[in-house]
Amino acid sequence: MAEDSSSSQPVVPSQPDFGIELPPVDASVLKAAKQQAESSTTTASIGPQHIAVKPGINELMPIAVGHLNRLVTPFEHPVVTTTSQATTSTKGKIVYVATADETPVTLYITPGDNQDIALSLTLIPKRIPAREIHLDLDKGSYQLLNQWQHADAASRTSSQQEQAYISQLKSLFRDLGMQKTPPGFSLREPKPQEQIRCLQDRVQIKTGQVLESQDRLILVGLAKNTGGDMLEFDERSCATTQQDVLAVSVWPNVVLKPQEATELYVVVRQAPEASVSLRPSLLGGGQP
């Protein structure tokens, strides 16, 4: 009996021959492709990254092209300096960077106007998701930054207080020029020792009013040109006569014709003991 050869091996149809010879793929190429795929997967799922930075040393870091990237700086008020076409903006400690192409972005980040501490960054745009990068200073630079920020905060506070004080004095003089009694002041006649003294020739000073508050006095007087020529009144001549003078102003004229007078306002600091008024005791028959 003849053996049926059709049951011994499966029949595989022959593949058509297109005349194309496929070259073998090198193992190193496959390995590189695999690493690239793994890197892309890791980059896509990566969270905020912390990078140690030091002033004076340029740091290279990848950012996303076509997306908004977020750089968290150690500075309270960062300032960005760059010549790149990339878009940058700041909000609090954050610097936002966006670029439309893969041209590297070089920039410097400083804490406000202080140029002693500058972070040098070169950002390499890549086809990756948007990134958040935290920039961490080394210990020495961080201590220096803290010292500068404390000094800067104190300076800003002092400057704000000075501006507020100058604004308050201007308001006082404006009220006086408009014949108003400034809020918090009471009007009275001057005491014998409350006299305006100015070290300027051919000027006669007569003190006529005192406006008193809890810690300041405003001496109001007339400054008259007693000479025969035009005279420019020097307000500084009244400020050097005593240490308690806080401000001096005249109204309405600074340049005086012969025999012409102008009002003179001198703000002086009142001694703490002078600002305390005694209350008569009822036990001694005192009346309010």
Side-chain angles (χ1 to χ4, degrees):
M1 182 181 216
E3 187 178 5
D4 187 0
S5 60
S6 62
S7 61
S8 61
Q9 295 292 335
V11 177
V12 180
S14 61
Q15 297 292 332
D17 186 3
F18 294 103
I20 301 175
E21 183 178 355
L22 297 177
V25 179
D26 190 86
S28 62
V29 175
L30 294 175
K31 183 178 180 181
K34 182 179 179 181
Q35 289 177 345
Q36 183 176 2
E38 291 176 351
S39 175
S40 300
T41 303
T42 304
T43 303
S45 60
I46 195 170
Q49 183 179 6
H50 289 258
I51 295 180
V53 292
K54 188 173 183 178
I57 299 178
N58 184 266
E59 293 289 342
L60 280 72
M61 55 191 69
I63 62 170
V65 63
H67 297 286
L68 195 62
N69 300 274
R70 172 180 158 105
L71 306 181
V72 183
T73 76
F75 306 146
E76 296 291 342
H77 305 283
V79 173
V80 178
T81 303
T82 181
T83 58
S84 170
Q85 297 299 315
T87 301
T88 63
S89 62
T90 60
K91 188 173 183 180
K93 292 185 175 184
I94 312 302
V95 174
Y96 292 95
V97 182
T99 179
D101 55 46
E102 298 185 15
T103 304
V105 178
T106 300
L107 51 82
Y108 288 92
I109 303 177
T110 57
D113 295 330
N114 186 355
Q115 300 297 317
D116 294 335
I117 303 176
L119 302 182
S120 175
L121 307 178
T122 298
L123 310 179
I124 311 299
K126 292 185 176 182
R127 302 291 175 179
I128 57 177
R131 303 199 65 198
E132 175 174 318
I133 303 174
H134 293 248
L135 306 177
D136 299 331
L137 282 175
D138 61 284
K139 184 177 180 181
S141 299
Y142 186 74
Q143 291 176 345
L144 180 62
L145 174 65
N146 275 341
Q147 294 174 2
W148 181 85
Q149 288 187 155
H150 288 323
D152 182 60
S155 176
R156 285 200 305 268
T157 301
S158 176
S159 177
Q160 291 171 354
Q161 292 175 344
E162 182 180 354
Q163 292 298 322
Y165 177 70
I166 293 175
S167 178
Q168 185 183 43
L169 289 177
K170 288 182 178 179
S171 179
L172 289 178
F173 291 142
R174 183 169 54 250
D175 287 345
L176 293 171
M178 298 175 66
Q179 300 181 358
K180 296 180 180 180
T181 298
F185 286 82
S186 58
L187 180 64
R188 63 173 174 81
E189 293 186 358
K191 299 175 183 178
Q193 69 273 19
E194 295 172 339
Q195 301 296 319
I196 300 174
R197 297 177 178 84
C198 303
L199 304 177
Q200 185 169 1
D201 295 336
R202 296 180 289 121
V203 174
Q204 182 185 69
I205 306 295
K206 182 180 178 180
T207 308
Q209 297 173 342
V210 172
L211 293 109
E212 183 176 16
S213 71
Q214 185 176 1
D215 57 353
R216 279 174 291 182
L217 297 177
I218 303 177
L219 308 180
V220 182
L222 286 177
K224 182 180 179 180
N225 178 9
T226 60
D229 300 319
M230 299 281 288
L231 179 143
E232 182 177 357
F233 186 79
D234 187 1
E235 297 165 333
R236 295 172 299 178
S237 67
C238 307
T240 57
T241 56
Q242 50 186 333
Q243 294 181 349
D244 292 336
V245 173
L246 301 175
V248 180
S249 183
V250 294
W251 176 265
N253 299 319
V254 176
V255 179
L256 304 177
K257 300 175 183 178
Q259 304 306 310
E260 184 181 13
T262 188
E263 275 199 326
L264 172 62
Y265 315 126
V266 179
V267 183
V268 298
R269 184 182 297 106
Q270 185 170 209
E273 59 273 11
S275 63
V276 178
S277 59
L278 295 177
R279 180 190 63 82
S281 173
L282 295 177
L283 294 174
Q287 299 295 322

